[in-house]
């Protein structure tokens, strides 16, 4: 079963990290990513861009694009992992590993009812 692990955090706290603190955090998180990759349980993972650059599509028909994120929490969705686990408990264990190195983050674990692997594409320059 595939599970999405959604990483929530207070965006201002992450933005306030020094480059060295951010690099250290990413090093710790990437160690977990590498282990999960070796175990063949890690699917796509992403660190999302700033919420100020987000928009939402909602409404009937073609929908309406609304600027900005509209999370009803003080944390914002800043990243996600897709993992392949036999059980919910296994997905929770991975989220606990992530939280161990990033203890102020909140991780939401959700089953994925449909997963379509993407075709590799070139990274666009930012």
């Amino acid at each position: 079963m595939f599970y999405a692990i959604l990483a929530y955090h207070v965006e201002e706290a992450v933005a306030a990290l020094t480059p060295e603190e951010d690099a250290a955090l990413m090093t710790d998180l990437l160690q977990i990513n590498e282990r999960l990759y070796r175990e063949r349980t890690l699917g796509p993972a992403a660190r999302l861009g700033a919420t100020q650059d987000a928009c939402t599509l909602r409404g009937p028909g073609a929908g309406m694009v609304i600027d900005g994120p509209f999370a009803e929490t003080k944390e914002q969705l800043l990243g996600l992992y897709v993992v392949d686990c036999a059980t919910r408990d296994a997905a929770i264990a991975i989220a606990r590993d992530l939280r161990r190195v990033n203890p102020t983050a909140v991780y939401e674990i959700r089953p994925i009812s449909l997963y379509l692997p993407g075709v590799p594409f070139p990274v666009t320059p930012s």
Side-chain angles (χ1 to χ4, degrees):
M1 166 71 76
F2 289 104
Y3 291 88
I5 299 176
L6 308 175
Y8 290 87
H9 206 293
V10 177
E11 190 170 17
E12 290 82 14
V14 174
L17 295 174
T18 67
E20 295 78 17
E21 291 169 330
D22 187 59
L25 174 59
M26 291 308 296
T27 296
D28 290 342
L29 291 172
L30 289 172
Q31 286 177 352
I32 295 171
N33 288 16
E34 290 169 8
R35 187 195 82 224
L36 296 174
Y37 179 79
R38 285 191 308 273
E39 293 171 357
R40 303 181 64 97
T41 58
L42 181 65
R47 187 177 198 182
L48 300 177
T51 57
Q52 69 190 24
D53 298 331
C55 64
T56 302
L57 176 65
R58 62 174 44 173
M64 177 174 56
V65 175
I66 303 167
D67 288 337
F70 293 96
E72 295 297 324
T73 66
K74 65 181 181 177
E75 299 91 7
Q76 291 79 42
L77 177 61
L78 300 183
L80 63 100
Y81 300 82
V82 174
V83 295
D84 186 6
C85 298
T87 66
R88 179 176 177 262
D89 288 340
I92 291 169
I94 290 170
R96 284 192 172 126
D97 278 346
L98 296 167
R99 186 160 164 73
R100 179 180 45 77
V101 300
N102 194 7
T104 57
V106 175
Y107 292 94
E108 178 181 352
I109 298 96
R110 295 174 124 179
I112 296 175
S113 57
L114 175 65
Y115 174 72
L116 301 173
V119 176
F121 58 91
V123 175
T124 55
S126 51

